[in-house]
């Protein structure tokens, strides 16, 4: 394999494209928000490694202690995203990226690596079947089918935070928790806000803008989490049509 990969650094962050959304000319608000978020995370040991081409081929992970998810554990790495799409699939890139992460964890003396999954694969979650090929196993679950997958090197295991198991909030209105790590979130938030104002649907956006807020969320989280009627709905980005169906019950 002769592919060239590189890691984002404070020095190259401004100039390198972000694989999730590739833009050559016009500035994208989600990408710029992501760059700002990354600028603060990289000094914490956050890793964004990508193919050195304009393609969606990358892995993003961080020490679990500073990962913006309601998952707890000691000395683990947490994989936010591992994506290989389009013409890049089938070339072994995903394996190279996963092996890089696992090797990095071992070299740093980590206890293991973990990631969010589900009993049934869901959109916007990395391919858990692929992760299981490397030895990842389900180590914790929620009552609505989400799973925490982990590959332990020393027998210790991470777990969902107690608050993440609640899956309920007091407000009955459409409530959406959003972070800035995913560059798609900004455009969906704007689209949903405009649609709800046009349709007269009450909606509340709650920014997850600190590590403390992320660790104490009332649900699993993947940069986006939707509640309606006080009940958790999904971590997937949703469309106006899906909101209409949800609010009609």
């Amino acid at each position: 394999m002769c592919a060239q990969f590189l890691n984002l650094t404070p020095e190259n962050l401004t100039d390198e494209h972000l694989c999730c959304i590739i833009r050559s000319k016009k500035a994208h608000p989600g990408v710029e928000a992501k760059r700002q978020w990354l600028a603060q995370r990289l000094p914490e040991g956050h890793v964004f490694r990508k193919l050195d081409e304009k393609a969606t081929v990358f892995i993003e992970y961080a020490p679990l202690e500073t990962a913006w998810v309601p998952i707890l554990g000691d000395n683990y790495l947490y994989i936010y995203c591992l994506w290989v799409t389009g013409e890049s699939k089938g070339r072994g890139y995903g394996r190279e990226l996963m092996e890089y992460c696992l090797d990095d964890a071992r070299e740093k003396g980590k206890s293991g690596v973990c990631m969010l999954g589900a009993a049934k694969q869901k959109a916007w979650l990395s391919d858990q079947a692929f992760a299981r090929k490397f030895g990842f196993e389900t180590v914790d679950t929620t009552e609505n089918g989400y799973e925490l997958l982990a590959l332990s090197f020393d027998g210790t295991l991470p777990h969902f935070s107690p608050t993440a198991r609640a899956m309920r909030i007091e407000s009955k209105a459409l409530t959406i928790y959003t972070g800035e790590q995913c560059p798609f979130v900004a455009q969906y938030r704007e689209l949903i806000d405009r649609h709800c104002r046009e349709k007269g649907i009450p909606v509340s956006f709650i920014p997850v803008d600190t590590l403390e807020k992320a660790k104490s969320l009332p649900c699993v989280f993947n940069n986006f989490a939707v509640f309606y009627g006080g009940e958790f709905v999904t971590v997937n980005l949703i469309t106006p049509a899906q909101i209409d169906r949800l609010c009609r019950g």
Side-chain angles (χ1 to χ4, degrees), residues 28-47:
H28 188 285
V31 170
E32 297 315 307
K34 168 79 175 209
R35 287 191 201 281
Q36 294 177 25
W37 188 86
L38 278 174
Q40 299 175 57
R41 304 284 79 77
L42 292 177
E44 301 171 349
H46 189 106
V47 174

Side-chain angles (χ1 to χ4, degrees), residues 147-202:
E147 299 180 344
L148 178 59
L149 305 181
L151 174 58
S152 177
F153 302 150
D154 61 9
T156 63
L157 298 174
H159 57 89
F160 288 117
S161 72
T163 59
R165 300 178 186 283
M167 299 291 182
R168 294 176 180 82
I169 60 175
E170 290 186 8
S171 174
K172 303 299 181 182
L174 179 64
T175 303
I176 303 176
Y177 292 80
T178 66
E180 298 296 347
Q181 188 215 352
C182 175
F184 286 96
V185 167
Q187 66 191 64
Y188 272 78
R189 187 168 49 214
E190 180 181 351
L191 180 66
I192 292 168
D193 182 50
R194 182 170 62 249
H195 177 77
C196 287
R197 283 189 280 107
E198 291 173 353
K199 291 295 186 75
I201 300 172

Side-chain angles (χ1 to χ4, degrees), residues 90-237:
R91 299 183 182 182
Y93 295 151
R95 174 168 291 277
E96 282 202 59
L97 290 169
M98 179 65 86
E99 289 177 346
Y100 178 90
C101 175
L102 299 183
D103 288 345
D104 192 21
R106 291 188 177 96
E107 289 174 5
K108 291 174 178 174
K110 296 296 183 181
S111 294
V113 181
C114 61
M115 60 184 282
L116 181 63
K120 182 179 179 181
Q121 178 70 43
K122 296 180 182 294
W124 301 97
L125 292 184
S126 298
D127 186 349
Q128 60 212 38
F130 176 75
R132 291 185 189 278
K133 293 178 181 178
F134 291 85
F136 283 74
E137 298 177 332
T138 299
V139 298
D140 201 0
T141 61
T142 67
E143 64 180 21
N144 59 347
Y146 285 92
E147 299 180 344
L148 178 59
L149 305 181
L151 174 58
S152 177
F153 302 150
D154 61 9
T156 63
L157 298 174
H159 57 89
F160 288 117
S161 72
T163 59
R165 300 178 186 283
M167 299 291 182
R168 294 176 180 82
I169 60 175
E170 290 186 8
S171 174
K172 303 299 181 182
L174 179 64
T175 303
I176 303 176
Y177 292 80
T178 66
E180 298 296 347
Q181 188 215 352
C182 175
F184 286 96
V185 167
Q187 66 191 64
Y188 272 78
R189 187 168 49 214
E190 180 181 351
L191 180 66
I192 292 168
D193 182 50
R194 182 170 62 249
H195 177 77
C196 287
R197 283 189 280 107
E198 291 173 353
K199 291 295 186 75
I201 300 172
V203 59
S204 175
F205 293 97
I206 301 180
V208 180
D209 51 12
T210 68
L211 177 63
E212 291 71 24
K213 287 182 181 179
K215 289 296 186 187
S216 61
L217 283 161
C219 61
V220 296
F221 189 64
N222 190 41
N223 301 301
F224 201 80
V226 181
F227 284 81
Y228 184 68
E231 302 291 326
F232 173 78
V233 178
T234 184
V235 297
N236 293 349
L237 298 171

